Amino acid sequence: MTTPLPTLSPSRAADFKTCPLLYRLRSIDRLPEQPTVDQARGTLVHAVLERLFDLPAASRTLAEAALLVRPAWEALLAEAPELGTLAVDDGFLDEATQLLQGYFTVEDPTRLEPAERETLIEATLDDELLIRGYVDRLDVSPAGDLRVVDYKTGGAPREAFEARALFQLKFYALVLWRTRGIVPRVLRLVYLKDREVCDYTPDSEELERFEKTLVALWRAIEQAAQAREFRPKPSRLCNWCSHQALCPSFGGTPPPFPEEAAITTAIDARTARLAAQRGVDGERLADVL
């Protein structure tokens, strides 16, 4: 039997870069996390935008999108009952609709025909690491140029944090280049809350450097696993962490290292949801913001 390759997604790679202990608690210990209202709203908006493009082009209006909000939320509750524990009301659905208004401000879906939506893409690096994730939307021009689109329901980052925001899209661009032989022409971040679009054009040299960065990152994860040492890295992001009680930086103690655990990485929230629908192994929920 062939041993499966370890897997790395943009979310888990970002976890390790943010805080090695966070990576361990999510990907090795697999500790459960209660979803937040913001995460649920983001998942809902993504689901509506996916369904929007099932409609005929002329019907892709804000009014039609608004009609999709409640059915999409009910479908999510059926798929992930833990979302029912969140304190949400009709204002929650109204806020989702407002984010959809932001989408219609920056793009006209009646003029778009996405080639792929919520698509699992994956590639193997150095015959040792499988990188994978779900792309929100992939547009293909008549000339064959690719545009990778990612919807963000949080606020647009300041310039100093733009590179962090683009990390996920460079990850996808690398996978597409390695599997399809095409460097995407445009990487597009659509910030629904702030009604902004950030377009970035990568090149093959940049993606080669990025590939080396990911391989080095994975080797650092392997070294940390071998040493059983995933140190916390305190930052402002600690304010949103679900695991402060287990973090030495906050007076906590991590659980014993799970020796039997496979050192693999999980895929993100929508991956887990879609995996259940499409027969792909998904392991946990994570941030979609």
Side-chain angles (χ1 to χ4, degrees), residues 109-124:
T110 66
R111 303 179 62 184
L112 296 171
E113 289 297 339
E116 300 175 38
R117 289 170 283 141
E118 297 286 1
T119 299
L120 174 67
I121 58 173
E122 56 186 24
T124 302

Side-chain angles (χ1 to χ4, degrees), residues 11-29 217 220-225 228-235 238 241 243 246-249 254 257 263 265:
S11 296
R12 298 292 75 83
D15 283 348
F16 189 80
K17 285 164 61 69
T18 298
C19 174
L21 180 59
L22 175 63
Y23 172 89
R24 184 206 137 169
L25 295 175
R26 282 180 167 171
S27 297
I28 298 176
D29 295 88
L217 179 68
I221 291 172
E222 287 185 315
Q223 290 173 3
R228 305 299 190 259
E229 187 172 5
F230 289 83
R231 296 182 179 179
K233 185 179 177 182
S235 72
C238 294
C241 183
H243 305 295
L246 299 174
C247 180
S249 296
F257 194 91
I263 310 304
T265 53

Side-chain angles (χ1 to χ4, degrees), residues 271-280 282:
T271 300
R273 172 172 59 82
L274 292 166
Q277 298 171 353
R278 303 178 186 179
V280 179

Side-chain angles (χ1 to χ4, degrees), residues 7-265:
T7 303
L8 190 63
S9 73
S11 296
R12 298 292 75 83
D15 283 348
F16 189 80
K17 285 164 61 69
T18 298
C19 174
L21 180 59
L22 175 63
Y23 172 89
R24 184 206 137 169
L25 295 175
R26 282 180 167 171
S27 297
I28 298 176
D29 295 88
R30 310 271 178 96
L31 297 183
E33 294 180 14
Q34 176 65 27
T36 69
V37 172
D38 285 342
Q39 290 172 341
R41 188 186 302 109
T43 302
L44 171 59
V45 170
H46 278 79
V48 172
L49 288 174
E50 181 185 8
R51 294 183 180 191
L52 180 68
F53 285 99
D54 289 333
L55 300 176
S59 299
R60 296 173 198 158
T61 64
L62 176 58
E64 290 291 334
L67 292 175
L68 294 173
V69 172
R70 187 174 293 277
W73 178 239
E74 292 172 352
L76 287 174
L77 289 175
E79 295 166 8
E82 65 272 18
L83 295 177
T85 64
L86 297 174
V88 300
D89 53 22
D90 285 343
F92 170 82
L93 300 181
D94 291 341
E95 290 166 353
T97 302
Q98 290 172 12
L99 290 169
L100 292 169
Q101 290 175 350
Y103 171 72
F104 280 85
T105 300
V106 296
E107 286 192 331
D108 180 1
T110 66
R111 303 179 62 184
L112 296 171
E113 289 297 339
E116 300 175 38
R117 289 170 283 141
E118 297 286 1
T119 299
L120 174 67
I121 58 173
E122 56 186 24
T124 302
L125 304 184
D126 282 3
D127 294 325
E128 65 177 89
L129 176 65
L130 182 68
I131 59 174
R132 69 191 305 183
Y134 273 91
V135 174
D136 285 347
R137 199 180 86 215
L138 186 64
D139 300 333
V140 181
S141 75
D145 294 326
L146 302 182
R147 178 170 64 190
V148 182
V149 181
D150 193 67
Y151 308 121
K152 298 295 184 186
T153 52
R158 292 177 305 210
E159 186 175 347
F161 296 96
E162 207 167 80
R164 178 186 178 91
L166 283 168
F167 178 87
Q168 180 180 9
L169 288 186
K170 289 182 181 179
F171 194 105
Y172 296 151
L174 174 61
V175 174
L176 291 168
W177 182 40
R178 288 305 185 203
T179 56
R180 306 188 187 190
I182 302 173
V183 175
R185 176 64 63 88
V186 176
L187 307 179
R188 169 167 290 186
L189 288 160
V190 180
Y191 292 98
L192 308 179
K193 180 180 178 180
D194 293 333
R195 306 184 178 192
E196 294 182 13
V197 169
C198 173
D199 283 345
Y200 183 81
T201 301
D203 57 42
S204 58
E205 290 79 10
E206 179 180 16
L207 294 183
E208 284 180 350
R209 293 191 298 270
F210 188 75
E211 180 173 3
K212 292 177 181 177
T213 297
L214 287 184
V215 171
L217 179 68
W218 178 252
R219 288 175 179 159
I221 291 172
E222 287 185 315
Q223 290 173 3
Q226 290 167 3
R228 305 299 190 259
E229 187 172 5
F230 289 83
R231 296 182 179 179
K233 185 179 177 182
S235 72
R236 287 179 295 176
L237 297 176
C238 294
N239 294 332
W240 291 273
C241 183
S242 301
H243 305 295
Q244 287 188 9
L246 299 174
C247 180
S249 296
F250 293 87
T253 302
F257 194 91
E259 296 297 332
E260 74 284 359
I263 310 304
T264 59
T265 53

